[in-house]
Amino acid sequence: MGSITGDLLSKEGIFDIMDFEYLAYGNAQKEGSEIDCQHGPAECLGNMAETCVKNMTGNAPLKYIPFDVCLESGSAITNKLISKCAKKQGINEDELMSCVTGPKGKALIDIEAKKTAANFAGKSEQYVPYFTLNGKEFTEGEGPQLLKAVCDAWTGEKPAGCPSYKAAPERCYAGKN
């Protein structure tokens, strides 16, 4: 998620024109009260931390995404990295770790699991990241493609973060004006 949303974060006004929701669940599977993450326990720990921070920031992308980008920086996700990223983003470490290790975090991750399952209901393939644009699955790419699609779909005044795309010049054929 880091490279996708980190790029969008740098574009002024983009989050003002989109309804953004990040579900920190990935391709995890739930059996009873246990969650098995595709990439192992460290991914589960990271998902829990991201879910708790999202809740602590009132689900405000401009507040929780910098934490997520830090957490997904390529280092192994550990409690030490969670604390480092929390400090860096001014997030209360004690409150965060209480959420991550307690019943609140479990309840929040259950919500992420249900929302993720709803996104994939009736689909033959499950993959992440999964995007929708105006209620329809968006499969045309990430980063610049997503930014262009969001900007193109917006019918109001374009924010400064929307790049201006110029039409390709017409072809000039030899012997013709």
Side-chain angles (χ1 to χ4, degrees):
M1 180 190 89
S3 63
I4 300 161
T5 54
D7 184 50
L8 292 178
L9 266 180
S10 68
K11 308 299 184 194
E12 185 181 340
I14 294 302
F15 283 101
D16 295 334
I17 66 167
M18 62 190 287
D19 179 15
F20 181 87
E21 181 177 28
Y22 169 64
L23 299 175
Y25 197 71
N27 287 319
Q29 299 295 315
K30 187 169 184 184
E31 299 223 5
S33 63
E34 296 298 313
I35 296 174
D36 182 32
C37 291
Q38 180 180 9
H39 303 292
E43 180 186 14
C44 283
L45 178 63
N47 288 349
M48 186 74 79
E50 290 174 348
T51 299
C52 288
V53 168
K54 187 170 78 165
N55 178 263
M56 290 169 64
T57 60
N59 199 23
L62 293 174
K63 293 181 181 177
Y64 71 77
I65 290 174
F67 173 84
D68 295 354
V69 170
C70 176
L71 199 62
E72 296 182 16
S73 65
S75 301
I77 297 175
T78 62
N79 286 337
K80 185 177 178 180
L81 181 61
I82 291 169
S83 293
K84 175 185 166 192
C85 293
K87 281 181 192 169
K88 185 176 178 181
Q89 300 306 321
I91 294 165
N92 183 305
E93 283 181 78
D94 292 334
E95 183 182 350
L96 173 56
M97 294 315 293
S98 176
C99 178
V100 167
T101 60
K104 184 175 185 177
K106 285 183 179 30
L108 292 170
I109 206 74
D110 281 346
I111 293 168
E112 301 287 282
K114 288 174 185 165
K115 287 181 177 181
T116 300
N119 280 341
F120 293 128
K123 297 200 182 333
S124 60
E125 288 187 311
Q126 294 185 15
Y127 54 88
V128 292
Y130 178 83
F131 300 100
T132 60
L133 183 63
N134 291 335
K136 295 182 179 148
E137 184 175 5
F138 180 79
T139 59
E140 296 171 29
E142 304 166 3
Q145 299 90 344
L146 180 60
L147 174 63
K148 182 178 182 325
V150 167
C151 291
D152 288 351
W154 183 249
T155 58
E157 185 177 331
K158 306 287 188 211
C162 281
S164 58
Y165 296 97
K166 296 179 181 173
E170 291 186 36
R171 290 185 176 149
C172 181
Y173 293 93
K176 297 185 180 183
N177 291 348

mmCIF file of all heavy atoms in Angstrom, residues 55-95:
data_model
loop_
_atom_site.group_PDB
_atom_site.id
_atom_site.type_symbol
_atom_site.label_atom_id
_atom_site.label_comp_id
_atom_site.label_asym_id
_atom_site.label_seq_id
_atom_site.Cartn_x
_atom_site.Cartn_y
_atom_site.Cartn_z
ATOM 1 N N ASN A 55 -8.223 3.656 13.125
ATOM 2 C CA ASN A 55 -9.287 3.959 14.080
ATOM 3 C C ASN A 55 -8.920 5.142 14.971
ATOM 4 O O ASN A 55 -9.738 6.029 15.220
ATOM 5 C CB ASN A 55 -9.587 2.719 14.925
ATOM 6 C CG ASN A 55 -10.654 2.981 15.958
ATOM 7 O OD1 ASN A 55 -10.339 3.262 17.116
ATOM 8 N ND2 ASN A 55 -11.896 2.881 15.541
ATOM 9 N N MET A 56 -7.674 5.177 15.441
ATOM 10 C CA MET A 56 -7.224 6.249 16.340
ATOM 11 C C MET A 56 -7.231 7.614 15.661
ATOM 12 O O MET A 56 -7.359 8.636 16.326
ATOM 13 C CB MET A 56 -5.810 5.932 16.851
ATOM 14 C CG MET A 56 -5.749 4.763 17.807
ATOM 15 S SD MET A 56 -4.048 4.215 18.135
ATOM 16 C CE MET A 56 -3.365 5.658 18.953
ATOM 17 N N THR A 57 -7.092 7.642 14.349
ATOM 18 C CA THR A 57 -7.047 8.909 13.617
ATOM 19 C C THR A 57 -8.404 9.263 13.003
ATOM 20 O O THR A 57 -8.487 10.161 12.164
ATOM 21 C CB THR A 57 -5.980 8.865 12.505
ATOM 22 O OG1 THR A 57 -6.306 7.808 11.599
ATOM 23 C CG2 THR A 57 -4.591 8.658 13.075
ATOM 24 N N GLY A 58 -9.444 8.548 13.402
ATOM 25 C CA GLY A 58 -10.771 8.855 12.883
ATOM 26 C C GLY A 58 -10.928 8.491 11.422
ATOM 27 O O GLY A 58 -11.703 9.118 10.703
ATOM 28 N N ASN A 59 -10.169 7.501 10.963
ATOM 29 C CA ASN A 59 -10.222 7.035 9.573
ATOM 30 C C ASN A 59 -9.886 8.146 8.579
ATOM 31 O O ASN A 59 -10.452 8.230 7.500
ATOM 32 C CB ASN A 59 -11.582 6.396 9.252
ATOM 33 C CG ASN A 59 -11.520 5.516 8.024
ATOM 34 O OD1 ASN A 59 -10.468 5.036 7.647
ATOM 35 N ND2 ASN A 59 -12.660 5.326 7.389
ATOM 36 N N ALA A 60 -8.945 9.002 8.968
ATOM 37 C CA ALA A 60 -8.523 10.121 8.116
ATOM 38 C C ALA A 60 -7.250 9.728 7.365
ATOM 39 O O ALA A 60 -6.174 9.659 7.968
ATOM 40 C CB ALA A 60 -8.279 11.362 8.959
ATOM 41 N N PRO A 61 -7.356 9.443 6.047
ATOM 42 C CA PRO A 61 -6.191 8.960 5.289
ATOM 43 C C PRO A 61 -4.940 9.817 5.425
ATOM 44 O O PRO A 61 -3.841 9.280 5.528
ATOM 45 C CB PRO A 61 -6.681 8.942 3.839
ATOM 46 C CG PRO A 61 -8.156 8.831 3.930
ATOM 47 C CD PRO A 61 -8.541 9.568 5.193
ATOM 48 N N LEU A 62 -5.087 11.132 5.445
ATOM 49 C CA LEU A 62 -3.903 11.984 5.526
ATOM 50 C C LEU A 62 -3.194 11.839 6.866
ATOM 51 O O LEU A 62 -2.029 12.213 6.998
ATOM 52 C CB LEU A 62 -4.273 13.449 5.274
ATOM 53 C CG LEU A 62 -4.735 13.741 3.845
ATOM 54 C CD1 LEU A 62 -5.217 15.183 3.713
ATOM 55 C CD2 LEU A 62 -3.636 13.451 2.836
ATOM 56 N N LYS A 63 -3.889 11.272 7.860
ATOM 57 C CA LYS A 63 -3.276 11.053 9.173
ATOM 58 C C LYS A 63 -2.736 9.636 9.334
ATOM 59 O O LYS A 63 -1.707 9.435 9.952
ATOM 60 C CB LYS A 63 -4.295 11.348 10.277
ATOM 61 C CG LYS A 63 -4.673 12.811 10.346
ATOM 62 C CD LYS A 63 -5.654 13.076 11.462
ATOM 63 C CE LYS A 63 -6.030 14.547 11.506
ATOM 64 N NZ LYS A 63 -7.030 14.809 12.532
ATOM 65 N N TYR A 64 -3.459 8.617 8.801
ATOM 66 C CA TYR A 64 -2.986 7.250 9.039
ATOM 67 C C TYR A 64 -2.074 6.709 7.940
ATOM 68 O O TYR A 64 -1.254 5.838 8.201
ATOM 69 C CB TYR A 64 -4.140 6.282 9.312
ATOM 70 C CG TYR A 64 -5.043 5.907 8.161
ATOM 71 C CD1 TYR A 64 -4.649 4.994 7.186
ATOM 72 C CD2 TYR A 64 -6.318 6.438 8.061
ATOM 73 C CE1 TYR A 64 -5.486 4.644 6.148
ATOM 74 C CE2 TYR A 64 -7.159 6.088 7.029
ATOM 75 C CZ TYR A 64 -6.744 5.188 6.077
ATOM 76 O OH TYR A 64 -7.578 4.852 5.048
ATOM 77 N N ILE A 65 -2.157 7.215 6.738
ATOM 78 C CA ILE A 65 -1.323 6.673 5.664
ATOM 79 C C ILE A 65 0.173 6.896 5.912
ATOM 80 O O ILE A 65 0.964 5.987 5.660
ATOM 81 C CB ILE A 65 -1.771 7.198 4.285
ATOM 82 C CG1 ILE A 65 -3.119 6.560 3.937
ATOM 83 C CG2 ILE A 65 -0.739 6.867 3.215
ATOM 84 C CD1 ILE A 65 -3.747 7.088 2.689
ATOM 85 N N PRO A 66 0.607 8.051 6.426
ATOM 86 C CA PRO A 66 2.051 8.174 6.699
ATOM 87 C C PRO A 66 2.563 7.092 7.660
ATOM 88 O O PRO A 66 3.681 6.606 7.496
ATOM 89 C CB PRO A 66 2.176 9.574 7.302
ATOM 90 C CG PRO A 66 1.036 10.332 6.689
ATOM 91 C CD PRO A 66 -0.096 9.335 6.636
ATOM 92 N N PHE A 67 1.740 6.695 8.631
ATOM 93 C CA PHE A 67 2.132 5.592 9.521
ATOM 94 C C PHE A 67 2.269 4.301 8.712
ATOM 95 O O PHE A 67 3.244 3.562 8.854
ATOM 96 C CB PHE A 67 1.103 5.410 10.646
ATOM 97 C CG PHE A 67 1.371 4.197 11.487
ATOM 98 C CD1 PHE A 67 2.277 4.246 12.540
ATOM 99 C CD2 PHE A 67 0.716 3.006 11.236
ATOM 100 C CE1 PHE A 67 2.544 3.118 13.309
ATOM 101 C CE2 PHE A 67 0.968 1.870 12.000
ATOM 102 C CZ PHE A 67 1.879 1.927 13.042
ATOM 103 N N ASP A 68 1.285 4.029 7.855
ATOM 104 C CA ASP A 68 1.315 2.817 7.035
ATOM 105 C C ASP A 68 2.533 2.787 6.122
ATOM 106 O O ASP A 68 3.183 1.752 5.971
ATOM 107 C CB ASP A 68 0.045 2.698 6.186
ATOM 108 C CG ASP A 68 -1.217 2.521 7.016
ATOM 109 O OD1 ASP A 68 -1.121 2.369 8.248
ATOM 110 O OD2 ASP A 68 -2.303 2.521 6.420
ATOM 111 N N VAL A 69 2.840 3.921 5.513
ATOM 112 C CA VAL A 69 3.997 4.006 4.610
ATOM 113 C C VAL A 69 5.280 3.702 5.394
ATOM 114 O O VAL A 69 6.140 2.950 4.933
ATOM 115 C CB VAL A 69 4.061 5.385 3.922
ATOM 116 C CG1 VAL A 69 5.384 5.576 3.185
ATOM 117 C CG2 VAL A 69 2.890 5.550 2.961
ATOM 118 N N CYS A 70 5.384 4.255 6.595
ATOM 119 C CA CYS A 70 6.544 3.987 7.449
ATOM 120 C C CYS A 70 6.629 2.499 7.787
ATOM 121 O O CYS A 70 7.686 1.882 7.674
ATOM 122 C CB CYS A 70 6.435 4.817 8.736
ATOM 123 S SG CYS A 70 7.753 4.501 9.941
ATOM 124 N N LEU A 71 5.494 1.921 8.167
ATOM 125 C CA LEU A 71 5.462 0.519 8.577
ATOM 126 C C LEU A 71 5.812 -0.420 7.426
ATOM 127 O O LEU A 71 6.421 -1.458 7.629
ATOM 128 C CB LEU A 71 4.075 0.182 9.138
ATOM 129 C CG LEU A 71 3.970 -1.055 10.012
ATOM 130 C CD1 LEU A 71 4.826 -0.913 11.264
ATOM 131 C CD2 LEU A 71 2.524 -1.303 10.395
ATOM 132 N N GLU A 72 5.450 -0.043 6.225
ATOM 133 C CA GLU A 72 5.689 -0.897 5.065
ATOM 134 C C GLU A 72 6.930 -0.458 4.291
ATOM 135 O O GLU A 72 7.021 -0.647 3.082
ATOM 136 C CB GLU A 72 4.451 -0.900 4.164
ATOM 137 C CG GLU A 72 3.256 -1.522 4.871
ATOM 138 C CD GLU A 72 2.023 -1.604 4.013
ATOM 139 O OE1 GLU A 72 2.136 -1.470 2.778
ATOM 140 O OE2 GLU A 72 0.946 -1.817 4.574
ATOM 141 N N SER A 73 7.882 0.091 5.011
ATOM 142 C CA SER A 73 9.091 0.644 4.386
ATOM 143 C C SER A 73 10.084 -0.407 3.923
ATOM 144 O O SER A 73 11.128 -0.069 3.373
ATOM 145 C CB SER A 73 9.784 1.586 5.373
ATOM 146 O OG SER A 73 10.234 0.843 6.497
ATOM 147 N N GLY A 74 9.786 -1.664 4.150
ATOM 148 C CA GLY A 74 10.689 -2.723 3.717
ATOM 149 C C GLY A 74 11.349 -3.437 4.874
ATOM 150 O O GLY A 74 11.899 -4.510 4.713
ATOM 151 N N SER A 75 11.320 -2.844 6.059
ATOM 152 C CA SER A 75 11.859 -3.504 7.244
ATOM 153 C C SER A 75 10.865 -4.551 7.731
ATOM 154 O O SER A 75 9.669 -4.452 7.459
ATOM 155 C CB SER A 75 12.082 -2.480 8.363
ATOM 156 O OG SER A 75 12.971 -1.480 7.941
ATOM 157 N N ALA A 76 11.363 -5.525 8.465
ATOM 158 C CA ALA A 76 10.473 -6.527 9.055
ATOM 159 C C ALA A 76 9.559 -5.824 10.066
ATOM 160 O O ALA A 76 10.008 -4.972 10.836
ATOM 161 C CB ALA A 76 11.291 -7.611 9.746
ATOM 162 N N ILE A 77 8.287 -6.164 10.044
ATOM 163 C CA ILE A 77 7.336 -5.529 10.952
ATOM 164 C C ILE A 77 7.456 -6.185 12.319
ATOM 165 O O ILE A 77 7.225 -7.380 12.482
ATOM 166 C CB ILE A 77 5.903 -5.616 10.403
ATOM 167 C CG1 ILE A 77 5.820 -4.850 9.074
ATOM 168 C CG2 ILE A 77 4.906 -5.045 11.411
ATOM 169 C CD1 ILE A 77 4.500 -4.964 8.365
ATOM 170 N N THR A 78 7.856 -5.356 13.277
ATOM 171 C CA THR A 78 8.025 -5.787 14.661
ATOM 172 C C THR A 78 7.404 -4.732 15.564
ATOM 173 O O THR A 78 7.066 -3.629 15.105
ATOM 174 C CB THR A 78 9.520 -5.911 15.018
ATOM 175 O OG1 THR A 78 10.119 -4.602 14.871
ATOM 176 C CG2 THR A 78 10.245 -6.911 14.121
ATOM 177 N N ASN A 79 7.285 -5.052 16.853
ATOM 178 C CA ASN A 79 6.789 -4.053 17.811
ATOM 179 C C ASN A 79 7.712 -2.835 17.834
ATOM 180 O O ASN A 79 7.252 -1.707 17.993
ATOM 181 C CB ASN A 79 6.669 -4.656 19.206
ATOM 182 C CG ASN A 79 5.479 -5.590 19.320
ATOM 183 O OD1 ASN A 79 4.524 -5.495 18.551
ATOM 184 N ND2 ASN A 79 5.531 -6.500 20.275
ATOM 185 N N LYS A 80 9.011 -3.064 17.665
ATOM 186 C CA LYS A 80 9.980 -1.959 17.654
ATOM 187 C C LYS A 80 9.711 -1.022 16.473
ATOM 188 O O LYS A 80 9.722 0.203 16.626
ATOM 189 C CB LYS A 80 11.396 -2.525 17.583
ATOM 190 C CG LYS A 80 12.486 -1.488 17.680
ATOM 191 C CD LYS A 80 13.860 -2.136 17.679
ATOM 192 C CE LYS A 80 14.946 -1.069 17.729
ATOM 193 N NZ LYS A 80 16.278 -1.664 17.733
ATOM 194 N N LEU A 81 9.444 -1.580 15.294
ATOM 195 C CA LEU A 81 9.147 -0.746 14.130
ATOM 196 C C LEU A 81 7.810 -0.015 14.324
ATOM 197 O O LEU A 81 7.687 1.158 13.963
ATOM 198 C CB LEU A 81 9.108 -1.579 12.846
ATOM 199 C CG LEU A 81 8.816 -0.794 11.561
ATOM 200 C CD1 LEU A 81 9.887 0.270 11.303
ATOM 201 C CD2 LEU A 81 8.707 -1.738 10.371
ATOM 202 N N ILE A 82 6.830 -0.703 14.884
ATOM 203 C CA ILE A 82 5.536 -0.062 15.153
ATOM 204 C C ILE A 82 5.747 1.147 16.059
ATOM 205 O O ILE A 82 5.222 2.236 15.796
ATOM 206 C CB ILE A 82 4.544 -1.064 15.770
ATOM 207 C CG1 ILE A 82 4.138 -2.108 14.727
ATOM 208 C CG2 ILE A 82 3.305 -0.351 16.315
ATOM 209 C CD1 ILE A 82 3.364 -3.289 15.284
ATOM 210 N N SER A 83 6.541 0.986 17.113
ATOM 211 C CA SER A 83 6.823 2.102 18.035
ATOM 212 C C SER A 83 7.552 3.234 17.324
ATOM 213 O O SER A 83 7.232 4.409 17.511
ATOM 214 C CB SER A 83 7.657 1.619 19.225
ATOM 215 O OG SER A 83 6.911 0.737 20.015
ATOM 216 N N LYS A 84 8.543 2.885 16.497
ATOM 217 C CA LYS A 84 9.308 3.900 15.753
ATOM 218 C C LYS A 84 8.379 4.707 14.845
ATOM 219 O O LYS A 84 8.440 5.938 14.795
ATOM 220 C CB LYS A 84 10.397 3.213 14.925
ATOM 221 C CG LYS A 84 11.175 4.140 14.018
ATOM 222 C CD LYS A 84 12.145 3.359 13.139
ATOM 223 C CE LYS A 84 12.655 4.229 12.017
ATOM 224 N NZ LYS A 84 13.358 3.458 10.995
ATOM 225 N N CYS A 85 7.496 4.016 14.108
ATOM 226 C CA CYS A 85 6.591 4.703 13.188
ATOM 227 C C CYS A 85 5.566 5.535 13.950
ATOM 228 O O CYS A 85 5.192 6.627 13.505
ATOM 229 C CB CYS A 85 5.910 3.696 12.264
ATOM 230 S SG CYS A 85 7.068 2.881 11.119
ATOM 231 N N ALA A 86 5.113 5.026 15.093
ATOM 232 C CA ALA A 86 4.161 5.785 15.914
ATOM 233 C C ALA A 86 4.809 7.083 16.397
ATOM 234 O O ALA A 86 4.208 8.166 16.290
ATOM 235 C CB ALA A 86 3.694 4.943 17.096
ATOM 236 N N LYS A 87 6.030 6.989 16.901
ATOM 237 C CA LYS A 87 6.745 8.195 17.357
ATOM 238 C C LYS A 87 6.905 9.186 16.215
ATOM 239 O O LYS A 87 6.676 10.382 16.372
ATOM 240 C CB LYS A 87 8.132 7.825 17.900
ATOM 241 C CG LYS A 87 8.139 7.280 19.278
ATOM 242 C CD LYS A 87 9.571 6.971 19.715
ATOM 243 C CE LYS A 87 9.554 6.159 20.985
ATOM 244 N NZ LYS A 87 10.870 5.606 21.316
ATOM 245 N N LYS A 88 7.327 8.668 15.071
ATOM 246 C CA LYS A 88 7.567 9.518 13.897
ATOM 247 C C LYS A 88 6.305 10.275 13.482
ATOM 248 O O LYS A 88 6.376 11.416 13.034
ATOM 249 C CB LYS A 88 8.072 8.651 12.738
ATOM 250 C CG LYS A 88 8.465 9.409 11.501
ATOM 251 C CD LYS A 88 9.033 8.459 10.448
ATOM 252 C CE LYS A 88 9.391 9.207 9.192
ATOM 253 N NZ LYS A 88 9.916 8.319 8.158
ATOM 254 N N GLN A 89 5.139 9.637 13.649
ATOM 255 C CA GLN A 89 3.880 10.252 13.223
ATOM 256 C C GLN A 89 3.104 10.906 14.367
ATOM 257 O O GLN A 89 1.984 11.365 14.175
ATOM 258 C CB GLN A 89 2.997 9.207 12.536
ATOM 259 C CG GLN A 89 3.621 8.592 11.305
ATOM 260 C CD GLN A 89 4.064 9.624 10.282
ATOM 261 O OE1 GLN A 89 3.402 10.625 10.054
ATOM 262 N NE2 GLN A 89 5.215 9.395 9.668
ATOM 263 N N GLY A 90 3.678 10.927 15.573
ATOM 264 C CA GLY A 90 3.018 11.566 16.708
ATOM 265 C C GLY A 90 1.799 10.797 17.204
ATOM 266 O O GLY A 90 0.844 11.385 17.708
ATOM 267 N N ILE A 91 1.840 9.480 17.080
ATOM 268 C CA ILE A 91 0.738 8.629 17.530
ATOM 269 C C ILE A 91 1.081 8.097 18.916
ATOM 270 O O ILE A 91 2.213 7.663 19.159
ATOM 271 C CB ILE A 91 0.525 7.473 16.517
ATOM 272 C CG1 ILE A 91 0.046 8.070 15.191
ATOM 273 C CG2 ILE A 91 -0.439 6.433 17.043
ATOM 274 C CD1 ILE A 91 0.134 7.122 14.026
ATOM 275 N N ASN A 92 0.119 8.109 19.809
ATOM 276 C CA ASN A 92 0.317 7.651 21.174
ATOM 277 C C ASN A 92 0.660 6.158 21.173
ATOM 278 O O ASN A 92 -0.187 5.321 20.865
ATOM 279 C CB ASN A 92 -0.945 7.925 21.992
ATOM 280 C CG ASN A 92 -0.797 7.536 23.439
ATOM 281 O OD1 ASN A 92 -0.450 6.399 23.760
ATOM 282 N ND2 ASN A 92 -1.072 8.484 24.313
ATOM 283 N N GLU A 93 1.900 5.848 21.545
ATOM 284 C CA GLU A 93 2.377 4.454 21.507
ATOM 285 C C GLU A 93 1.622 3.542 22.468
ATOM 286 O O GLU A 93 1.296 2.407 22.117
ATOM 287 C CB GLU A 93 3.858 4.394 21.887
ATOM 288 C CG GLU A 93 4.801 4.813 20.812
ATOM 289 C CD GLU A 93 6.221 4.683 21.304
ATOM 290 O OE1 GLU A 93 6.743 3.548 21.341
ATOM 291 O OE2 GLU A 93 6.809 5.728 21.661
ATOM 292 N N ASP A 94 1.382 4.034 23.671
ATOM 293 C CA ASP A 94 0.701 3.197 24.668
ATOM 294 C C ASP A 94 -0.707 2.842 24.209
ATOM 295 O O ASP A 94 -1.129 1.685 24.311
ATOM 296 C CB ASP A 94 0.647 3.897 26.033
ATOM 297 C CG ASP A 94 2.022 4.046 26.670
ATOM 298 O OD1 ASP A 94 2.919 3.228 26.351
ATOM 299 O OD2 ASP A 94 2.209 4.971 27.480
ATOM 300 N N GLU A 95 -1.424 3.833 23.697
ATOM 301 C CA GLU A 95 -2.783 3.588 23.196
ATOM 302 C C GLU A 95 -2.750 2.627 22.008
ATOM 303 O O GLU A 95 -3.571 1.714 21.905
ATOM 304 C CB GLU A 95 -3.434 4.919 22.784
ATOM 305 C CG GLU A 95 -4.857 4.780 22.313
ATOM 306 C CD GLU A 95 -5.463 6.103 21.857
ATOM 307 O OE1 GLU A 95 -4.863 7.182 22.067
ATOM 308 O OE2 GLU A 95 -6.558 6.051 21.275
#
